[in-house]
Amino acid sequence: MNHRRQPLAPPDLTDAGITDRVCAVVLGVRAPLGWFVALGLAALLSLGFLVGVIYVLSVGVGAFGLNIPVAWGFPIINTVWWIGIAHAGTLISAVLWLTRQEWRASINRSAEAMAMFAIVLAGSYPLLHLGRPQFAYYLLPYPNTMELWPQWRSPLVWDFFAIASYLIFTSAFLYLSLLPDFASLRDRARHRFQQLVYGTLALGWRNSARHWARYQQAHRVMAVIAAPIVVSVTGTISLDLAVSIVPGYHFTIFPPYFVAGALYSGFATVAIIAIVLRSLFGFRDVITKAHLNLLGIMMLCFVLVVDYAYMQEIFIAFYTGEEFYRSVYFDRWTGPYAPYYWGMILCNVVLAQGLWFRRLRESVPGLLCLAVIADIGMWLERFQIVITSTHKDYVPSAWGEVSATGWDWLIYAGSIGVFLVLLLLFIKLMPAISMHDMRDMLHQRRQLQRQQDREKQGVQR
């Protein structure tokens, strides 16, 4: 087989074979040693998140490196970063399903789980940033005798509804896609406890034609709804900045710019998860190099949009002739935070060009390095947008510098640990590969092969 025409799955992969492989991971007695090592390290890292959250709730937001005029620091940076990671899950699960892209079958389940866990972590930062998270329910428009209604002009209210709607939708979409696979686990489980758990989660699924018809109908409706949600959530977050008059924020290009950046980092994280599944559980025949190549192509598409947005930002700042807009970029290039800006350019502009090369996209170490660099670069982008746009305001007397505290870094690193713990547990307890989507892909491929065989026989006759 030519290395430039890698198949999405080996021809000898059968319906029963893929079901046995995935069920063995969930219902097996022991997980691979690498899974236990990874889980232990992630759990140790996640303790930092717990300690940091307890400390912030005890002493207040002064634990963060916030100072006037930079009132938004690591909490907002990490919120936008996690939301970006969450977005590729919905895109793979919904948009690629609507366009009938068969390569999504191997990676859609892990992408959906990634989206749900990432959006949970994204929502935790605004709560910590409130200072008094016990009053977070004030953001809800609930009936009350004191008539304390949400301040609809506050970006915090926008964030709450954007993140809450995305979390609810992602959870429902993931659970819907899991229903047929829960039934497969229920039927193959040998222990009574597993039969009860997966049987309850399957909600009486019997694999009947009526169940499949209802499932397809519901899946189609939710996939159509998901398409605008991908754009609206990150678009809403970007409007938090764009509606202000602060130089460095007030750009109409922010909504599409943020969406492209979110999808870039999201596909990068999906690529990392796909490589982990290949390495820990041996799914090399299910997640092939063709999948890695396609993920790399998607990363390349969106990073080119991000690079274009960088150029447009600079062009608009200098084209308007506004002195304050120009000063923002001179400060980013030569100011105290210049290393963050040039680090972003190195990751997202220079090193990202490696995605043009197919050998790097199909190489596991190569794509892993490029994906990690993409996530680092997108975090640096969020940093320079949030910090460098506000530390020099219109009034020189309000200028100041801020630096992250140890608690900022501890909570950020701990949130990555929490994400990894949730993902590793999901891989072991739930089917990380969508069995019914894989079976459907194999069925369509066999139908296409039979049709081609009939056409060949007709030509020979």
Side-chain angles (χ1 to χ4, degrees):
M1 178 66 69
N2 192 311
H3 75 280
R4 294 189 177 276
R5 293 183 177 273
Q6 291 286 345
L8 289 177
D12 57 345
L13 193 63
T14 62
D15 295 354
I18 186 62
T19 304
D20 292 338
R21 291 278 304 282
V22 177
C23 288
V25 173
V26 180
L27 303 176
V29 178
R30 288 185 61 84
L33 178 60
W35 181 87
F36 286 103
V37 173
L39 182 63
L41 295 175
L44 186 62
L45 188 61
S46 65
L47 290 177
F49 183 78
L50 178 62
V51 172
V53 168
I54 293 174
Y55 183 79
V56 171
L57 296 180
S58 301
V59 305
V61 293
F64 296 125
L66 303 176
N67 193 10
I68 300 301
V70 183
W72 286 0
F74 264 45
I76 304 303
I77 295 171
N78 296 331
T79 295
V80 181
W81 188 71
W82 279 117
I83 288 176
I85 288 177
H87 269 59
T90 304
L91 184 75
I92 291 175
S93 301
V95 178
L96 297 184
W97 184 86
L98 291 172
T99 56
R100 296 297 187 267
Q101 300 295 320
E102 68 173 22
W103 65 275
R104 62 173 285 278
S106 299
I107 59 176
N108 64 332
R109 179 63 51 72
S110 56
E112 293 166 3
M114 174 200 75
M116 187 176 69
F117 300 147
I119 203 66
V120 169
L121 291 169
S124 65
Y125 280 101
L127 294 178
L128 291 175
H129 196 261
L130 285 175
R132 295 181 179 179
Q134 67 271 25
F135 297 127
Y137 64 91
Y138 282 4
L139 297 171
L140 297 171
Y142 65 97
N144 61 92
T145 56
M146 301 298 291
E147 295 189 358
L148 297 175
W149 302 105
Q151 172 54 274
W152 297 106
R153 291 176 295 180
S154 171
L156 278 175
V157 177
W158 306 353
D159 292 346
F160 171 78
F161 282 96
I163 293 174
S165 61
Y166 191 81
L167 175 60
I168 294 172
F169 176 84
T170 304
S171 303
F173 198 85
L174 174 61
Y175 186 76
L176 177 67
S177 69
L178 279 167
L179 275 179
D181 290 351
F182 281 146
S184 298
L185 293 172
R186 174 201 62 199
D187 297 338
R188 291 173 179 263
R190 296 183 178 180
H191 301 287
R192 182 60 178 169
F193 177 76
Q194 292 177 332
Q195 293 173 351
L196 289 175
V197 171
Y198 293 117
T200 303
L201 293 174
L203 299 180
W205 181 276
R206 288 294 180 268
N207 206 32
S208 65
R210 181 180 180 183
H211 285 183
W212 277 111
R214 295 291 184 266
Y215 171 83
Q216 294 291 340
Q217 184 179 14
H219 202 279
R220 186 179 301 108
V221 170
M222 295 191 72
V224 172
I225 296 174
I229 286 182
V230 171
V231 178
S232 65
V233 176
T234 300
T236 300
I237 301 300
S238 66
L239 287 176
D240 293 353
L241 311 178
V243 297
S244 70
I245 61 172
V246 177
Y249 282 175
H250 193 61
F251 288 115
T252 55
I253 199 175
F254 263 21
Y257 168 24
F258 272 48
V259 170
L263 294 174
Y264 174 49
S265 60
F267 271 104
T269 309
V270 172
I272 295 173
I273 296 173
I275 291 172
V276 170
L277 284 174
R278 283 170 52 94
S279 302
L280 287 183
F281 296 98
F283 284 120
R284 292 178 179 83
D285 55 344
V286 178
I287 303 175
T288 65
K289 289 187 176 182
H291 291 92
L292 302 183
N293 176 51
L294 290 168
L295 287 171
I297 290 174
M298 297 302 294
M299 289 172 58
L300 177 62
C301 291
F302 290 113
V303 78
L304 292 178
V305 178
V306 171
D307 294 346
Y308 173 77
Y310 292 163
M311 293 187 292
Q312 282 297 310
E313 272 191 308
I314 299 172
F315 172 78
I316 293 171
F318 284 85
Y319 179 76
T320 57
E322 181 66 39
E323 180 180 354
F324 292 103
Y325 279 74
R326 293 197 302 266
S327 66
V328 168
Y329 281 91
F330 286 131
D331 179 70
R332 289 179 179 177
W333 295 337
T334 61
Y337 302 106
Y340 291 93
Y341 179 85
W342 294 115
M344 176 196 75
I345 296 299
L346 177 65
C347 293
N348 295 343
V349 178
V350 179
L351 298 179
Q353 303 310 311
L355 292 166
W356 285 101
F357 302 99
R358 182 163 187 149
R359 287 187 179 275
L360 278 178
R361 295 198 304 264
E362 292 185 347
S363 168
V364 172
L367 185 62
L368 180 62
C369 290
L370 290 173
V372 172
I373 288 171
D375 281 336
I376 294 173
M378 293 312 299
W379 187 89
L380 292 173
E381 177 197 292
R382 269 60 174 184
F383 179 93
Q384 63 92 15
I385 289 176
V386 172
I387 302 297
T388 61
S389 300
T390 55
H391 89 103
K392 273 193 171 183
D393 208 340
Y394 291 101
V395 183
S397 60
W399 293 357
E401 296 181 16
V402 296
S403 58
T405 65
W407 296 107
D408 282 313
W409 290 110
L410 182 65
I411 293 176
Y412 173 55
S415 66
I416 297 177
V418 173
F419 175 78
L420 294 175
V421 167
L422 294 174
L423 189 64
L424 289 169
L425 290 176
F426 179 86
I427 292 173
K428 185 64 183 72
L429 300 176
M430 303 291 175
I433 304 293
S434 179
M435 293 181 280
H436 64 280
D437 281 335
M438 285 295 297
R439 291 194 296 263
D440 183 59
M441 181 197 70
L442 294 173
H443 176 67
Q444 292 178 4
R445 183 175 299 174
R446 286 193 294 267
Q447 283 186 327
L448 179 61
Q449 185 63 43
R450 285 195 292 267
Q451 181 180 356
Q452 292 175 348
D453 292 341
R454 286 195 297 267
E455 291 176 355
K456 290 180 180 179
Q457 292 176 358
V459 171
Q460 291 175 356
R461 291 176 182 175

